[in-house]
Structure formats: C-alpha cells, structure tokens
Amino acid sequence: MMNNNNPNKLDPQQIVAEFKEIPPMPNVMVKALSVIKNPSTGIAELAKIMQVDQAISTKTLSLVNSAFYGFRQQITSINKALVVLGMMKAKNIIMSLALKQMMTAQGSRELWEHSIKCAVAAEFLAKEFRVINPDDAFVIGFLHDIGKIGIPEHILRKPAQLCDDEWEIMKQHPTIGAEKVLQPNPNLRDLIPIVKYHHERIDGKGYPEGLKGNSIPFGSRIIAIADAFTALCEARPYRKALSEEDALKIIKEESAIKWDPDLVDVLESLMSK
C-alpha cells in the first residue's frame, strides 16, 4: 500500500479529470467504424477510405499480392484488392492497423494484440445471441480497453500485481475510454455505455458504478467475458498464460458472480465445437 501522506500519490479522479493528451482518433479509423456499422457500404466507398492512409493501403496490397507470389503481374488497385480480400476482412484490416497506430504510439503493443483477440471472441459470442450485431461486438472488442492509454505507463507495465492505490487508478480506464476517447467522436457515441460498463459484475461488485444483473448493458456483458477469457489465456509478468481449458474452468466458477451465466454456457458450447 502507498503511504496516504505521500504528496506524490496519484488521485484516481484527478487522472480522469486532467487527462487531455489522448492521441486523436485516426480519421481513417473513425470513417471505417461508420462503414463497418453500415452493411450496405460498397467496395468503392471503402476503397476511398483506405486510399487516404498509405500504411493501410500498402499492407492491404501486400496481403493480396502474397497470394500471387512468383507471378510477374501484381495487383496495384485497392478496389481489386478488396474484391480479392472480401469486404469484412478488409474492414478488419482498417480497424486493426488504425488501432495499432493509436496504441503503439503509447507503447502499448500488448494492448493492441489483446484487443484483437477480444474482438474476435466478442464477435463469436454475439453471433450466438441476436441481441447486438456481431460486427458491432467486434468493433467494441477492439475499443473496450482504449482508455488504458490514459493510465500512467508505470502502472500498465508493472511487473507484479498492482497495489490497492494503483488498482484504483487502473479502474479509471473504462471512464477514460468512454468520456475522453469515444465521446468526442459522434460516430462512436452509441458504444459509450458498453465500453464504460464492461467491468461491471453480475453481483453488483464491479466498477465504475456497481451495476448489477440485467442493468448491465448486454454488450458490456459480452465484452466482459470475452475480455476475461482472453486475458486468462495470455501471459502476464506475474503469471503464465493459462490453457483454454483452465481459463474456462475459472470462468465457470465465477458464473452468476462476475459473468452472465447464459454467456458462460455459450462460451463452453463454442469451445466444445
């Protein structure tokens, strides 16, 4: 525990109030998010979005042309590349690279990689429940921990478990993500409640507001279990990665305590396939 009289002690609420240095959301990412949520968007419109970002265009063409290795002719048109890749995969490329650009600028490659895995898990869970669009679940999975770029680096990268005071700081990341990153972007505001409440618990002992049971947005409940399962399967400085089987066992033990029991059942069913 930190000394309460320490003048250098960080105040959790002050972290949220004073944090104004969130890097701007890449424009291509904001546009791509609106495209993902509009299934009628055509390839030509998506190509225009991709063409404004050289890194994304180059990566897309590289992925497509890798399939033509050894052939003299290569694809140079983004439109043609999108036809080869397919729309959803192309959207995922935009999301992953733009989010990586935003997060790695803060030295958070691990956060980017975790967000990708959580996005995939959330999409799978959402497909089993027709409550939220799986594509939206994928986007939210990407963005759920975006507020961690507002958490001090020494806390994010501490090679041991956090002390109580540090944990109080860490618990501000859903609020930072919702209010400092999503709120300024009109196309993302409908995601705010899901991101803000993804650490609430079924028993009401979560954060930031202690919501309980069905008062927690369903999307938040999906992200919560996708986030937890993914995190358990990843190595941490203070523990090894768990197997999927051991991670599922822990999730099941906490069913109806931390997690929506219906979602726990679906996760178990998906893993048995």
Side-chain angles (χ1 to χ4, degrees), residues 13 27 75 78 85 105 113 119 128 134 148 163-164 167 170 172 176 202 205 211 215 218 241 272:
Q13 298 305 317
N27 190 47
I75 293 176
I78 286 293
L85 283 176
E113 292 174 345
E128 299 298 314
K148 284 185 177 178
C163 70
D164 290 349
W167 182 238
M170 180 66 81
Q172 305 309 308
I176 292 173
I202 292 298
K205 295 181 180 180
L211 300 184
S215 65
F218 189 73
S272 66

Short mmCIF file of all heavy atoms in Angstrom, two decimals, residues 13 27 75 78 85 105 113 119 128 134 148 163-164 167 170 172 176 202 205 211 215 218 241 272:
data_model
loop_
_atom_site.label_atom_id
_atom_site.label_comp_id
_atom_site.label_asym_id
_atom_site.label_seq_id
_atom_site.Cartn_x
_atom_site.Cartn_y
_atom_site.Cartn_z
N GLN A 13 -9.57 10.17 -9.49
CA GLN A 13 -10.47 11.10 -10.16
C GLN A 13 -9.71 12.20 -10.89
O GLN A 13 -10.13 12.68 -11.94
CB GLN A 13 -11.43 11.72 -9.13
CG GLN A 13 -12.32 10.71 -8.43
CD GLN A 13 -13.11 9.86 -9.42
OE1 GLN A 13 -13.64 10.36 -10.41
NE2 GLN A 13 -13.19 8.56 -9.17
N ASN A 27 -8.32 9.52 -38.42
CA ASN A 27 -9.50 9.81 -39.22
C ASN A 27 -9.98 8.59 -39.99
O ASN A 27 -11.18 8.32 -40.09
CB ASN A 27 -9.20 10.95 -40.20
CG ASN A 27 -10.46 11.46 -40.88
OD1 ASN A 27 -11.47 11.70 -40.22
ND2 ASN A 27 -10.40 11.62 -42.18
N ILE A 75 -1.20 -7.00 -58.14
CA ILE A 75 -2.35 -6.11 -58.02
C ILE A 75 -1.88 -4.78 -57.44
O ILE A 75 -1.19 -4.74 -56.42
CB ILE A 75 -3.42 -6.74 -57.11
CG1 ILE A 75 -4.02 -7.97 -57.80
CG2 ILE A 75 -4.52 -5.73 -56.78
CD1 ILE A 75 -5.03 -8.70 -56.95
N ILE A 78 -6.44 -0.76 -55.12
CA ILE A 78 -7.11 -1.08 -53.85
C ILE A 78 -8.47 -1.70 -54.12
O ILE A 78 -8.89 -2.64 -53.44
CB ILE A 78 -7.26 0.19 -52.98
CG1 ILE A 78 -5.91 0.57 -52.39
CG2 ILE A 78 -8.27 -0.03 -51.85
CD1 ILE A 78 -5.36 -0.42 -51.37
N LEU A 85 -9.88 -9.79 -51.19
CA LEU A 85 -9.93 -10.00 -49.74
C LEU A 85 -11.34 -10.26 -49.23
O LEU A 85 -11.54 -11.03 -48.29
CB LEU A 85 -9.38 -8.77 -49.01
CG LEU A 85 -7.87 -8.59 -48.98
CD1 LEU A 85 -7.54 -7.27 -48.29
CD2 LEU A 85 -7.21 -9.74 -48.24
N ALA A 105 1.60 4.09 -30.44
CA ALA A 105 2.15 5.42 -30.19
C ALA A 105 2.34 5.65 -28.69
O ALA A 105 3.16 6.45 -28.26
CB ALA A 105 1.22 6.50 -30.76
N GLU A 113 -2.71 -6.16 -29.26
CA GLU A 113 -2.86 -7.58 -29.54
C GLU A 113 -4.01 -8.18 -28.73
O GLU A 113 -4.79 -8.99 -29.24
CB GLU A 113 -1.55 -8.31 -29.24
CG GLU A 113 -0.43 -7.93 -30.20
CD GLU A 113 0.90 -8.55 -29.82
OE1 GLU A 113 1.03 -9.03 -28.67
OE2 GLU A 113 1.81 -8.57 -30.67
N ALA A 119 -11.81 -8.85 -29.60
CA ALA A 119 -12.77 -8.53 -30.65
C ALA A 119 -13.30 -9.80 -31.31
O ALA A 119 -14.51 -9.95 -31.55
CB ALA A 119 -12.13 -7.62 -31.70
N GLU A 128 -24.10 -15.90 -31.37
CA GLU A 128 -25.00 -16.86 -30.73
C GLU A 128 -26.23 -16.19 -30.13
O GLU A 128 -27.22 -16.84 -29.86
CB GLU A 128 -24.23 -17.63 -29.64
CG GLU A 128 -23.04 -18.42 -30.14
CD GLU A 128 -23.45 -19.51 -31.12
OE1 GLU A 128 -24.43 -20.24 -30.82
OE2 GLU A 128 -22.80 -19.64 -32.18
N PRO A 134 -23.05 -8.74 -34.48
CA PRO A 134 -21.69 -9.28 -34.29
C PRO A 134 -20.59 -8.32 -34.76
O PRO A 134 -19.52 -8.27 -34.16
CB PRO A 134 -21.70 -10.56 -35.11
CG PRO A 134 -23.13 -10.99 -35.13
CD PRO A 134 -23.91 -9.71 -35.19
N LYS A 148 -7.06 2.68 -21.55
CA LYS A 148 -5.79 2.38 -20.87
C LYS A 148 -4.65 3.24 -21.38
O LYS A 148 -3.61 3.33 -20.72
CB LYS A 148 -5.45 0.90 -21.01
CG LYS A 148 -6.29 0.01 -20.10
CD LYS A 148 -5.84 -1.44 -20.16
CE LYS A 148 -6.65 -2.29 -19.18
NZ LYS A 148 -6.27 -3.71 -19.25
N CYS A 163 -0.83 -2.68 -6.39
CA CYS A 163 -1.27 -2.43 -5.03
C CYS A 163 -2.65 -1.75 -5.09
O CYS A 163 -3.13 -1.40 -6.16
CB CYS A 163 -0.26 -1.57 -4.27
SG CYS A 163 -0.18 0.14 -4.85
N ASP A 164 -3.27 -1.56 -3.94
CA ASP A 164 -4.64 -1.03 -3.91
C ASP A 164 -4.74 0.34 -4.57
O ASP A 164 -5.68 0.62 -5.32
CB ASP A 164 -5.14 -0.94 -2.46
CG ASP A 164 -5.41 -2.30 -1.86
OD1 ASP A 164 -5.40 -3.29 -2.61
OD2 ASP A 164 -5.60 -2.39 -0.63
N TRP A 167 -4.43 0.04 -8.27
CA TRP A 167 -5.64 -0.57 -8.82
C TRP A 167 -6.76 0.45 -8.97
O TRP A 167 -7.52 0.41 -9.94
CB TRP A 167 -6.08 -1.74 -7.95
CG TRP A 167 -7.28 -2.47 -8.44
CD1 TRP A 167 -8.45 -2.67 -7.79
CD2 TRP A 167 -7.44 -3.11 -9.72
NE1 TRP A 167 -9.33 -3.37 -8.57
CE2 TRP A 167 -8.74 -3.66 -9.76
CE3 TRP A 167 -6.61 -3.26 -10.83
CZ2 TRP A 167 -9.23 -4.34 -10.87
CZ3 TRP A 167 -7.10 -3.94 -11.94
CH2 TRP A 167 -8.40 -4.47 -11.95
N MET A 170 -6.06 2.18 -12.15
CA MET A 170 -6.36 1.32 -13.29
C MET A 170 -7.87 1.27 -13.55
O MET A 170 -8.31 1.21 -14.71
CB MET A 170 -5.82 -0.09 -13.04
CG MET A 170 -6.10 -1.07 -14.18
SD MET A 170 -5.23 -0.63 -15.70
CE MET A 170 -3.61 -1.32 -15.34
N GLN A 172 -9.96 3.42 -13.59
CA GLN A 172 -10.50 4.59 -14.29
C GLN A 172 -10.51 4.40 -15.81
O GLN A 172 -11.07 5.22 -16.53
CB GLN A 172 -9.68 5.84 -13.95
CG GLN A 172 -9.56 6.13 -12.45
CD GLN A 172 -10.88 6.12 -11.73
OE1 GLN A 172 -11.83 6.80 -12.14
NE2 GLN A 172 -10.96 5.35 -10.65
N ILE A 176 -12.24 6.74 -18.81
CA ILE A 176 -11.40 7.49 -19.74
C ILE A 176 -11.74 7.10 -21.18
O ILE A 176 -11.88 7.97 -22.05
CB ILE A 176 -9.90 7.21 -19.46
CG1 ILE A 176 -9.50 7.81 -18.11
CG2 ILE A 176 -9.03 7.81 -20.56
CD1 ILE A 176 -8.09 7.46 -17.66
N ILE A 202 -22.06 -9.24 -12.48
CA ILE A 202 -23.45 -9.66 -12.29
C ILE A 202 -23.90 -9.45 -10.85
O ILE A 202 -25.05 -9.11 -10.58
CB ILE A 202 -23.62 -11.13 -12.72
CG1 ILE A 202 -23.44 -11.27 -14.23
CG2 ILE A 202 -25.00 -11.66 -12.31
CD1 ILE A 202 -24.45 -10.52 -15.08
N LYS A 205 -20.69 -5.99 -7.85
CA LYS A 205 -19.44 -5.60 -7.19
C LYS A 205 -18.36 -5.16 -8.18
O LYS A 205 -17.18 -5.14 -7.84
CB LYS A 205 -18.92 -6.77 -6.34
CG LYS A 205 -19.85 -7.12 -5.18
CD LYS A 205 -19.30 -8.27 -4.35
CE LYS A 205 -20.24 -8.60 -3.20
NZ LYS A 205 -19.73 -9.73 -2.37
N LEU A 211 -23.13 -1.57 -11.23
CA LEU A 211 -24.37 -2.06 -11.83
C LEU A 211 -24.50 -3.56 -11.58
O LEU A 211 -23.51 -4.27 -11.43
CB LEU A 211 -24.38 -1.78 -13.34
CG LEU A 211 -24.26 -0.32 -13.78
CD1 LEU A 211 -24.38 -0.22 -15.29
CD2 LEU A 211 -25.30 0.55 -13.10
N SER A 215 -29.18 -4.85 -15.36
CA SER A 215 -28.96 -3.41 -15.51
C SER A 215 -27.64 -3.13 -16.24
O SER A 215 -27.41 -2.01 -16.70
CB SER A 215 -28.94 -2.72 -14.14
OG SER A 215 -27.85 -3.15 -13.36
N PHE A 218 -26.19 -5.49 -22.26
CA PHE A 218 -25.85 -6.83 -22.72
C PHE A 218 -24.51 -6.84 -23.45
O PHE A 218 -23.71 -7.77 -23.31
CB PHE A 218 -26.95 -7.38 -23.63
CG PHE A 218 -26.76 -8.83 -23.96
CD1 PHE A 218 -26.99 -9.81 -23.02
CD2 PHE A 218 -26.34 -9.21 -25.23
CE1 PHE A 218 -26.81 -11.15 -23.32
CE2 PHE A 218 -26.16 -10.54 -25.54
CZ PHE A 218 -26.40 -11.52 -24.58
N ALA A 241 0.53 -17.87 -19.00
CA ALA A 241 -0.76 -17.98 -19.69
C ALA A 241 -1.42 -19.30 -19.31
O ALA A 241 -0.75 -20.32 -19.16
CB ALA A 241 -0.56 -17.90 -21.20
N SER A 272 -16.52 -26.38 -27.21
CA SER A 272 -16.67 -27.83 -27.40
C SER A 272 -16.85 -28.21 -28.86
O SER A 272 -16.84 -29.39 -29.21
CB SER A 272 -17.87 -28.34 -26.58
OG SER A 272 -19.09 -27.80 -27.08
#
